């Protein structure tokens, strides 16, 4: 089920990007959703860096899957367990160049993020591209997938 969902999510993202949908515009009649999704994406980024486990548990869908820059997968439980045990110290995490694409009860937010911090005395961070996928549930938008890729040269 997770693999099918991930493949569908990636195809969905590739299709919207292949159609040349660039810029910060959202579907007609849904500017509030677009603003909410931009804020939610920033809040999720901050929650991971700040180890806000309660927020992560509330916003990540039960079917959530992460693909990290090394290509490893993590489901919701694995991701949250990883956040709980994270000993990295994040000095700053900042999203930029974000674009929201709404498709009914599904949405994609693509953008980039800059991370600065250290892990056990070693500097970590760099610049990454991201894709966050959301589904609208009865209780609001839930993040169903995150894909991160390091920007070359970073």
């Amino acid at each position: 089920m997770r693999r099918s969902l991930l493949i569908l999510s990636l195809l969905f993202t590739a299709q919207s990007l292949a159609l040349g949908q660039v810029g910060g515009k959202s579907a007609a009649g849904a500017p509030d959703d677009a603003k909410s999704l931009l804020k939610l994406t920033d809040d999720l980024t901050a929650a991971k860096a700040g180890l806000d486990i309660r927020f992560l548990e509330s916003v990540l869908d039960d079917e959530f899957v992460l693909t990290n820059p090394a290509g490893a997968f993590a489901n919701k439980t694995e991701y949250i367990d990883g956040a709980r045990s994270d000993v990295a110290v994040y000095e700053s995490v900042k999203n930029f160049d974000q674009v929201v694409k709404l498709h009914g009860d599904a949405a994609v937010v693509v953008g980039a993020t800059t991370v600065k911090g250290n892990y056990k005395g070693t500097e970590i961070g760099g610049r990454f591209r991201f894709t966050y996928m959301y589904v609208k549930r009865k209780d609001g938008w839930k993040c169903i997938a995150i894909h991160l890729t390091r920007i070359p040269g970073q």
Side-chain angles (χ1 to χ4, degrees), residues 12-22 101 103:
F12 182 78
T13 302
Q15 176 187 9
S16 63
L17 293 175
L19 293 173
Q21 297 177 336
V22 295
K101 295 298 171 192
H103 302 275

Side-chain angles (χ1 to χ4, degrees), residues 6 10 13 41 44-45 48-49 64-74 79 90 93-95 109-115 126-133 143 145-152:
L6 178 62
L10 293 175
T13 302
T41 301
L44 267 169
T45 301
K48 173 60 170 83
F64 173 81
V65 63
L66 165 79
T67 305
N68 74 15
F73 291 106
Y79 183 76
Y90 299 95
V93 180
K94 175 91 172 120
N95 293 341
V109 178
V110 295
T113 191
T114 301
V115 178
R127 292 178 60 173
F128 302 85
R129 293 270 179 221
F130 64 76
T131 303
Y132 282 52
M133 300 209 51
C143 184
I146 298 174
H147 186 112
L148 299 167
T149 302
R150 183 176 291 279
I151 297 172

